[in-house]
Amino acid sequence: MNTDFSSSCPISLTEYPYVLLAHGGGGKLMHQLIEKMFMAALHNPILETRHDSAVIVFAHFTSGERPRLAFTTDSYVVHPLFFPGGNIGTLAINGTVNDLAMSGAQPLYLSAGFILEEGLEMNVLWRIAQAMQQAAKEAGVQIVTGDTKVVDRGKGDGVFINTSGIGIIEHSLSITPQNVRPGDAVLLSGDIGRHGIAIMAAREGLEFETTIESDCAPLVGLVQALITGGVEIHCLRDLTRGGLGSALVEIAEASGRTIEIEEASIPVDEQVRGACEILGFDPLYVANEGRLVTFVAPQDAERALKVMRQHTLGASANIIGEVKSASASPSTALGLVTMKSRIGATRVIDMLSGEQLPRIC
Amino acid sequence: MNTDFSSSCPISLTEYPYVLLAHGGGGKLMHQLIEKMFMAALHNPILETRHDSAVIVFAHFTSGERPRLAFTTDSYVVHPLFFPGGNIGTLAINGTVNDLAMSGAQPLYLSAGFILEEGLEMNVLWRIAQAMQQAAKEAGVQIVTGDTKVVDRGKGDGVFINTSGIGIIEHSLSITPQNVRPGDAVLLSGDIGRHGIAIMAAREGLEFETTIESDCAPLVGLVQALITGGVEIHCLRDLTRGGLGSALVEIAEASGRTIEIEEASIPVDEQVRGACEILGFDPLYVANEGRLVTFVAPQDAERALKVMRQHTLGASANIIGEVKSASASPSTALGLVTMKSRIGATRVIDMLSGEQLPRIC
């Protein structure tokens, strides 16, 4: 354990003397910051599983059932605070609920920590607090503890919210990137990119024929439907910062597998596609707040698709690809994501290197 | 449940159209914000216990022992980031560990959510991350999940950290303000006001004969010593924002009891007293980050004092007062705190009304 405070920073101070916006963007720099700095300083076996949620087994209980809990945290700094389809409050509930759901947990209890900027309109805070309660009710969770801090004007940005969450894991599946296997089907729950584009449009005052609404929603029901349906889920990931592309690259790297996807099977709303073309974004990397990918055993692929399509939030679900290589062991193999384009060409999907859309969550 | 988003804000928008610094100061306005707004919007039985930590009973487990967990959250926005005796990292660990300890829980798992300002020195972040790991090790907890966000320059202040924590409750005591009874002895674990004055001095560049160091420390060992020592603890509270004064008023109000304390029994460092006189602060309201009060059954008072004094963090512990009235039922009685001064006069201790020291945690 590194406790020598004078030890040198593991990130090159020549290259990155200061934190950049891209260090929070979900791409390569954020990955580097987490891996090189936070993992180096804070390492422990649970943190090193790199899940959306930490899975905690309470060994303290010697008799009866041993509780397995999921525990997660997320801070929300979205700008603007209100956008079509949601606001920072709904996002703070759904984002954390979704992180818990990605371990297959039933989310139960949330905390809420507010960092308010002096001068924030009181009524804005009230609208956000009400939206949080409404979203919590819809997701089946309770906000059981909280904290409020106020920073001086110009040292914050209206309101930042941290929500941490606890869920209970009652299934016996092992839902983790390390469990992804050759032959697994890759399923996407719906169209991608709406959240990021909705935020961008609200921020820049862009107008479209019809308003593009964020996909912000709690994914817990969809996941529970898969579990109840007996689907052999190997991995689950919600597609937030960095979008579908970054999520798949992370899973490929963690599993050491090759993931092959088909562009034609990935739904993108026509207006979102148009906005991306104009703004120079690739929808693969645009953030979502109510979409997931799941990797399931091949024999369960069709059934999983059916279960997902029966759920409101999975109505336009698709099988978008397959896990291919088994090659070497996960620890030595290089994970890879390839995509067959609509015109038949195959390209390698890389992790986003710079900052695409800052502060989308 | 109020889900009507158009319902009017429960805080007077004529009186308080905007959030003030004092809404985060630990005094009357923060109390009002929490009670009128957050409790109104987010109400549920666990939140309404108003503990430092939420106590969760996992009814999901039908056989064996039913886990009782403590869950808490705190955001840290202290300015400056480094101060004599600690930094935002040590504060973020100890503050949350202490909130858990105040329910008598053994703190186990923490989350860490960073909100970084673009332009933060990378090396500063590294020093903070290392300090967090060191503090976590000392408090016996692990940081098991995390999150990083970056906001644009001028929209944050270097770094804000949220830590949430989970602890396990293995005793059968009911440690809550509602359990405070007439005759209970009030014990204070040590001198007050050092954290707040250390921050103030660092912020304003004040110099004293010797440097005043923050009392920032994990209180879990002290609490566990009391529990292991078989002391009948009725209530525990760490003395953060609002200091000893506000903590006692909150407990008096929640219990409906009168608390009588003696000024002469409250240790205050001579330099802290001097600084308070110059700056116009009352040490009763200055924040601490390693001090607690506990209310114990009268027959256990002397033993509790002995246990505390044997611990490093309780070496200058004192019995500072007693719970007096039983009067009416807690729901109707008005809680009151009175203090007998050194010259024999008695005054009522009220909750702090304005902002004394902003951003001390």
Side-chain angles (χ1 to χ4, degrees), chain A residues 54-56 67-70 103-106 167-173, chain B residues 61:
Chain A
V55 175
I56 298 168
R68 260 206 313 161
L69 297 184
S103 62
Q106 179 72 49
I168 193 160
I169 300 175
E170 297 188 287
H171 60 78
S172 55
L173 296 162
Chain B
F61 295 89

Side-chain angles (χ1 to χ4, degrees), chain A residues 43 60 68 78 102 131 164 171 224 297 312 328 349:
Chain A
H43 61 104
H60 297 75
R68 260 206 313 161
V78 68
M102 293 310 113
S164 300
H171 60 78
Q224 292 298 323
T312 325
I349 303 297

Side-chain angles (χ1 to χ4, degrees), chain A residues 118-130:
Chain A
E118 181 189 15
L120 172 71
E121 276 181 62
M122 195 61 83
N123 205 35
V124 163
L125 186 58
W126 174 238
R127 283 167 62 202
I128 292 168
Q130 285 178 293

Side-chain angles (χ1 to χ4, degrees), chain A residues 190-201 206-215 266-288 291 356-357:
Chain A
D191 68 318
I192 60 170
R194 273 200 284 123
H195 176 71
I197 296 302
I199 295 291
M200 195 63 187
L206 306 178
E207 284 190 16
F208 303 100
E209 263 178 53
T210 54
T211 306
I212 297 175
E213 289 212 339
S214 165
D215 48 62
I266 301 169
V268 183
D269 174 272
E270 269 318 304
Q271 289 208 111
V272 169
R273 191 183 298 281
C276 280
E277 275 167 17
I278 293 165
L279 298 164
F281 293 140
D282 182 340
L284 265 192
Y285 297 106
V286 177
N288 315 271
R291 293 291 177 250
Q356 192 168 26
L357 284 170

Side-chain angles (χ1 to χ4, degrees), chain B residues 84 197 201 205-213 269-275 278:
Chain B
I197 296 301
L206 307 178
E207 284 189 16
F208 304 100
E209 263 179 54
T210 54
T211 307
I212 297 175
E213 290 211 338
D269 173 273
E270 269 317 305
Q271 290 208 111
V272 169
R273 191 182 299 279
I278 293 165

Side-chain angles (χ1 to χ4, degrees), chain A:
Chain A
M1 193 173 297
N2 191 342
T3 53
D4 174 8
F5 282 26
S6 63
S7 85
S8 63
C9 180
I11 288 181
S12 162
L13 295 179
T14 322
E15 210 176 347
Y16 297 108
Y18 303 105
V19 170
L20 307 176
L21 266 177
H23 280 114
K28 275 184 186 162
L29 284 188
M30 191 172 96
H31 201 69
Q32 190 195 60
L33 181 68
I34 292 170
E35 289 300 320
K36 287 199 181 177
M37 181 177 294
F38 292 126
M39 285 294 174
L42 309 177
H43 61 104
N44 62 62
I46 303 178
L47 188 65
E48 281 156 13
T49 58
R50 294 172 174 76
H51 279 300
D52 278 342
S53 306
V55 175
I56 298 168
V57 182
F58 276 84
H60 297 75
F61 294 90
T62 49
S63 68
E65 298 142 286
R66 277 195 183 181
R68 260 206 313 161
L69 297 184
F71 180 35
T72 194
T73 193
D74 251 318
S75 298
Y76 299 85
V77 299
V78 68
H79 173 74
L81 297 174
F82 295 83
F83 48 85
N87 58 60
I88 191 171
T90 50
L91 203 58
I93 301 299
N94 289 332
T96 294
V97 160
N98 290 348
D99 275 350
L100 293 171
M102 293 310 113
S103 62
Q106 179 72 49
L108 294 172
Y109 303 108
L110 260 56
S111 64
F114 296 88
I115 299 177
L116 311 176
E117 184 192 8
E118 181 189 15
L120 172 71
E121 276 181 62
M122 195 61 83
N123 205 35
V124 163
L125 186 58
W126 174 238
R127 283 167 62 202
I128 292 168
Q130 285 178 293
M132 289 177 78
Q133 180 74 334
Q134 176 68 20
K137 199 178 153 196
E138 280 166 21
V141 296
Q142 289 181 74
I143 298 162
V144 294
T145 188
D147 175 58
T148 310
K149 294 291 188 308
V150 183
V151 295
D152 2 357
R153 205 183 286 263
K155 301 292 181 186
D157 196 11
V159 52
F160 301 144
I161 303 176
N162 176 285
T163 48
S164 300
I166 298 177
I168 193 160
I169 300 175
E170 297 188 287
H171 60 78
S172 55
L173 296 162
S174 167
I175 301 176
T176 141
Q178 287 76 27
N179 203 21
V180 165
R181 299 168 203 173
D184 278 3
V186 185
L187 285 85
L188 171 66
S189 67
D191 68 318
I192 60 170
R194 273 200 284 123
H195 176 71
I197 296 302
I199 295 291
M200 195 63 187
R203 197 183 291 168
E204 305 297 339
L206 306 178
E207 284 190 16
F208 303 100
E209 263 178 53
T210 54
T211 306
I212 297 175
E213 289 212 339
S214 165
D215 48 62
C216 183
L219 292 169
V220 56
L222 189 59
V223 172
Q224 292 298 323
L226 287 168
I227 293 174
T228 315
V231 172
E232 190 183 317
I233 304 168
H234 292 162
C235 187
L236 279 166
R237 186 66 62 103
D238 59 337
L239 310 174
T240 57
R241 278 182 289 180
L244 175 63
S246 303
L248 291 177
V249 173
E250 274 177 34
I251 293 167
E253 285 183 357
S255 64
R257 311 292 186 190
T258 292
I259 302 170
E260 291 185 12
I261 57 169
E262 289 214 22
E263 191 176 14
S265 63
I266 301 169
V268 183
D269 174 272
E270 269 318 304
Q271 289 208 111
V272 169
R273 191 183 298 281
C276 280
E277 275 167 17
I278 293 165
L279 298 164
F281 293 140
D282 182 340
L284 265 192
Y285 297 106
V286 177
N288 315 271
E289 288 293 337
R291 293 291 177 250
L292 60 81
V293 280
T294 179
F295 291 68
V296 308
Q299 71 277 8
D300 287 358
E302 285 302 327
R303 194 152 48 92
L305 185 64
K306 203 177 149 193
V307 169
M308 286 171 83
R309 285 189 175 166
Q310 279 168 352
H311 194 281
T312 325
L313 294 173
S316 56
N318 258 343
I319 297 176
I320 63 161
E322 196 182 332
V323 179
K324 277 292 162 71
S325 75
S327 66
S329 77
S331 58
T332 57
L334 279 173
L336 197 70
V337 181
T338 64
M339 184 169 80
K340 206 166 106 187
S341 76
R342 285 169 193 277
I343 55 162
T346 297
R347 68 167 170 124
V348 171
I349 303 297
D350 200 0
M351 198 167 275
L352 197 63
S353 47
E355 174 67 45
Q356 192 168 26
L357 284 170
R359 298 183 59 189
I360 49 83
C361 61

Side-chain angles (χ1 to χ4, degrees), chain B residues 132-148:
Chain B
M132 288 177 80
Q133 180 74 333
Q134 176 68 24
K137 199 179 153 193
E138 282 166 20
V141 296
Q142 290 180 73
I143 298 161
V144 294
T145 188
D147 175 57
T148 310

Side-chain angles (χ1 to χ4, degrees), chain B residues 28-309:
Chain B
K28 275 184 187 163
L29 284 188
M30 189 172 98
H31 201 69
Q32 190 194 61
L33 182 67
I34 292 170
E35 290 298 320
K36 288 201 180 173
M37 181 177 295
F38 292 126
M39 286 294 172
L42 310 176
H43 61 104
N44 62 63
I46 302 178
L47 188 66
E48 281 157 13
T49 60
R50 294 171 174 77
H51 278 301
D52 278 342
S53 306
V55 175
I56 298 168
V57 182
F58 276 83
H60 297 74
F61 295 89
T62 48
S63 66
E65 297 143 285
R66 278 197 181 178
R68 259 207 313 163
L69 296 183
F71 180 34
T72 193
T73 193
D74 251 318
S75 298
Y76 298 86
V77 300
V78 66
H79 173 74
L81 297 175
F82 295 84
F83 48 83
N87 58 61
I88 191 172
T90 51
L91 202 58
I93 301 299
N94 290 332
T96 295
V97 159
N98 290 349
D99 275 350
L100 292 171
M102 292 310 112
S103 62
Q106 179 72 48
L108 294 172
Y109 303 107
L110 260 57
S111 64
F114 296 89
I115 299 177
L116 311 176
E117 184 191 7
E118 180 188 18
L120 172 71
E121 276 182 62
M122 195 61 83
N123 205 36
V124 163
L125 186 57
W126 175 238
R127 284 166 62 203
I128 292 168
Q130 286 179 291
M132 288 177 80
Q133 180 74 333
Q134 176 68 24
K137 199 179 153 193
E138 282 166 20
V141 296
Q142 290 180 73
I143 298 161
V144 294
T145 188
D147 175 57
T148 310
K149 293 292 189 307
V150 183
V151 296
D152 3 357
R153 204 183 287 263
K155 300 292 181 187
D157 196 11
V159 51
F160 301 144
I161 303 175
N162 176 285
T163 49
S164 301
I166 298 176
I168 192 160
I169 300 175
E170 298 188 289
H171 59 78
S172 55
L173 295 162
S174 167
I175 301 176
T176 142
Q178 286 76 26
N179 203 21
V180 165
R181 300 169 203 172
D184 278 3
V186 185
L187 285 86
L188 171 66
S189 68
D191 68 317
I192 60 169
R194 273 201 283 122
H195 177 71
I197 296 301
I199 295 291
M200 195 62 188
R203 196 183 291 168
E204 306 296 337
L206 307 178
E207 284 189 16
F208 304 100
E209 263 179 54
T210 54
T211 307
I212 297 175
E213 290 211 338
S214 165
D215 49 61
C216 182
L219 292 169
V220 55
L222 189 60
V223 172
Q224 291 298 323
L226 288 168
I227 293 173
T228 316
V231 172
E232 190 184 317
I233 304 168
H234 292 162
C235 186
L236 279 165
R237 186 65 62 106
D238 59 337
L239 311 175
T240 58
R241 278 182 289 180
L244 174 63
S246 303
L248 291 178
V249 173
E250 274 176 36
I251 293 167
E253 285 183 356
S255 64
R257 310 293 185 189
T258 292
I259 303 170
E260 291 185 12
I261 58 169
E262 288 215 23
E263 189 176 16
S265 63
I266 300 169
V268 183
D269 173 273
E270 269 317 305
Q271 290 208 111
V272 169
R273 191 182 299 279
C276 281
E277 276 169 15
I278 293 165
L279 298 164
F281 294 141
D282 183 341
L284 265 192
Y285 297 106
V286 178
N288 314 270
E289 288 292 338
R291 293 289 178 251
L292 62 80
V293 280
T294 179
F295 291 69
V296 307
Q299 71 277 11
D300 286 358
E302 285 302 326
R303 194 153 48 91
L305 185 64
K306 204 177 149 192
V307 169
M308 286 172 84
R309 286 190 174 166

